[in-house]
Amino acid sequence: MDMLRRPRRNRKSPVIRDLVQENSLSLSDLIYPMFVMEGEGVRSEIASMPGVARFSLDLLLEEMQECVDLGLRTFALFPNLPESKKDKYATESHNPEGLYLQAVKVIKTRFPDIALMTDVAMDPYSSDGHDGIVQEGPDGFEIVNDESLVVLAKMAVAQARAGADIIGPSDMMDGRIAYIREALDAEGFTNVSIMAYTAKYAGAFYGPFRDALDSAPRFGDKKTYQMNPANSREALIEAELDYAEGADFLMVKPAMAYLDIIKLLNDNFDLPIAAYNVSGEYAMVKAAAANGWIDGERAMLEILMAMKRAGAKIILTYFAKEVAQLRKY
């Protein structure tokens, strides 16, 4: 057959396929989420996230050292707190002697060269399990916006004071990026970055994470502040606000079902776009692989590459350690 163009010529060997590969995945693209809990010598496996565990701080440092030795350099830290430490106003979130802020301080002392991202949201510390303050009004319970910003700013400043490199507001309250940026700058933390959870959808993929933190809402849902999965243009509104308010990164969460949103933000904004490969996405791959239905390793790499192809410069993923182990060996 007389054909001038034969695309298969660029696929004929591993060397040529690598030569023409358009996107690549590097360890420097990855942020590894980790969970800290109270106690000593405690490792608590998360049943819905095979291979992921909560650690007491002493064992977390050991695990983090192993990850650093594998080449991972950026971590996101989340707290698992007992109910006794939770209240309506999430006051433990800015307690300098509390588990989370002490963990941040110790981690940055032990590993000064890593980048540590912290989480700004009330739900891990809230007795209501919501990302903002809950008030009862004439129409029932409401998550109030502006009052919540005060708590979020206190949390962000306390995390910066403890040594955080990147603040991650995951609450989806209106105006929180500007409010937090102003609070950080007023305290002299002008070099602390903000990774805004810009397009965070009220999706079905968060269950295992909420198991990990025991942070599920005690009533209702999060649909009054997290985005409707049916909407894409709304993500541009959120991104324009976060950009104008001083965010340094824009994040899409979840990632697998929102590749179009990752591309949309990447096409319209010059800031680095992050994607959060969330717990439910991780759990699906692990469950299917455990049943022999898919090749888990290949699926993991294909999913992460899809996020890069869509435009994500940064990926938060529970697969990060596995990827690092593959790269090393």
Side-chain angles (χ1 to χ4, degrees), residues 231-252:
N231 295 353
S232 58
R233 292 174 62 86
E234 185 182 5
L236 290 174
I237 297 172
E238 291 284 2
E240 287 168 359
L241 288 168
D242 288 351
Y243 182 94
E245 291 176 18
D248 301 287
F249 311 84
L250 305 177
M251 185 200 292
V252 177

Side-chain angles (χ1 to χ4, degrees), residues 214-228:
D214 188 25
S215 63
R218 302 299 184 260
F219 61 89
D221 54 41
K222 301 190 176 188
K223 293 180 180 179
T224 65
Y225 46 100
Q226 294 180 0
M227 286 178 57
N228 184 341

Side-chain angles (χ1 to χ4, degrees), residues 122-140:
M122 289 178 58
D123 54 334
Y125 312 91
S126 168
S127 52
D128 294 311
H130 277 284
D131 293 22
I133 296 172
V134 178
Q135 288 186 358
E136 188 171 6
D139 300 318

Side-chain angles (χ1 to χ4, degrees), residues 48 54 95 114 155 196 221-222 225 231 253 255 275 281 329:
S48 54
R54 312 171 194 90
N95 172 14
I114 69 162
M155 194 185 312
D221 54 41
K222 301 190 176 188
Y225 46 100
N231 295 353
K253 181 182 180 183
E281 298 168 342
Y329 302 107

Side-chain angles (χ1 to χ4, degrees), residues 84-299:
S84 61
K85 297 290 178 68
K86 300 180 182 183
D87 62 30
K88 184 178 182 64
Y89 297 100
T91 52
E92 184 67 11
S93 68
H94 48 88
N95 172 14
E97 302 305 318
L99 168 69
Y100 190 69
L101 294 176
Q102 283 296 305
V104 171
K105 185 176 181 181
V106 170
I107 289 168
K108 283 301 295 182
T109 300
R110 172 79 173 268
F111 303 104
D113 295 330
I114 69 162
L116 184 61
M117 178 177 170
T118 52
D119 181 54
V120 174
M122 289 178 58
D123 54 334
Y125 312 91
S126 168
S127 52
D128 294 311
H130 277 284
D131 293 22
I133 296 172
V134 178
Q135 288 186 358
E136 188 171 6
D139 300 318
F141 290 101
E142 176 187 3
I143 291 82
V144 293
N145 194 96
D146 294 7
E147 296 88 338
S148 300
L149 300 184
V150 177
V151 179
L152 298 172
K154 288 181 180 179
M155 194 185 312
V157 169
Q159 291 172 1
R161 191 172 287 125
D165 299 291
I166 304 169
I167 302 294
S170 62
D171 56 284
M172 290 299 286
M173 297 296 112
D174 290 342
R176 87 274 197 212
I177 301 302
Y179 201 95
I180 290 171
R181 182 75 271 165
E182 183 176 346
L184 289 171
D185 290 355
E187 294 293 326
F189 297 114
T190 56
N191 288 331
V192 173
S193 305
I194 296 178
M195 183 180 290
Y197 285 60
T198 294
K200 183 178 180 181
Y201 285 85
F205 296 97
Y206 302 137
F209 179 89
R210 291 172 182 168
D211 290 345
L213 297 191
D214 188 25
S215 63
R218 302 299 184 260
F219 61 89
D221 54 41
K222 301 190 176 188
K223 293 180 180 179
T224 65
Y225 46 100
Q226 294 180 0
M227 286 178 57
N228 184 341
N231 295 353
S232 58
R233 292 174 62 86
E234 185 182 5
L236 290 174
I237 297 172
E238 291 284 2
E240 287 168 359
L241 288 168
D242 288 351
Y243 182 94
E245 291 176 18
D248 301 287
F249 311 84
L250 305 177
M251 185 200 292
V252 177
K253 181 182 180 183
M256 283 173 59
Y258 298 90
L259 297 178
D260 60 320
I261 309 301
I262 295 170
K263 185 177 189 307
L264 183 66
L265 296 196
N266 187 58
D267 288 347
N268 285 277
F269 296 91
D270 293 331
L271 292 178
I273 306 302
Y276 201 139
N277 178 208
V278 298
S279 59
E281 298 168 342
Y282 173 89
M284 288 192 302
V285 173
K286 287 296 184 181
N291 280 283
W293 297 335
I294 62 171
D295 181 325
E297 184 179 297
R298 288 185 61 196

Side-chain angles (χ1 to χ4, degrees), residues 10-30:
N10 284 349
R11 305 175 197 145
K12 67 184 178 183
S13 73
V15 174
I16 291 178
R17 288 195 295 272
D18 288 346
L19 190 67
V20 299
Q21 182 167 312
E22 298 174 19
N23 295 281
S24 61
L25 182 68
S26 167
L27 294 186
S28 62
D29 300 325
L30 305 181

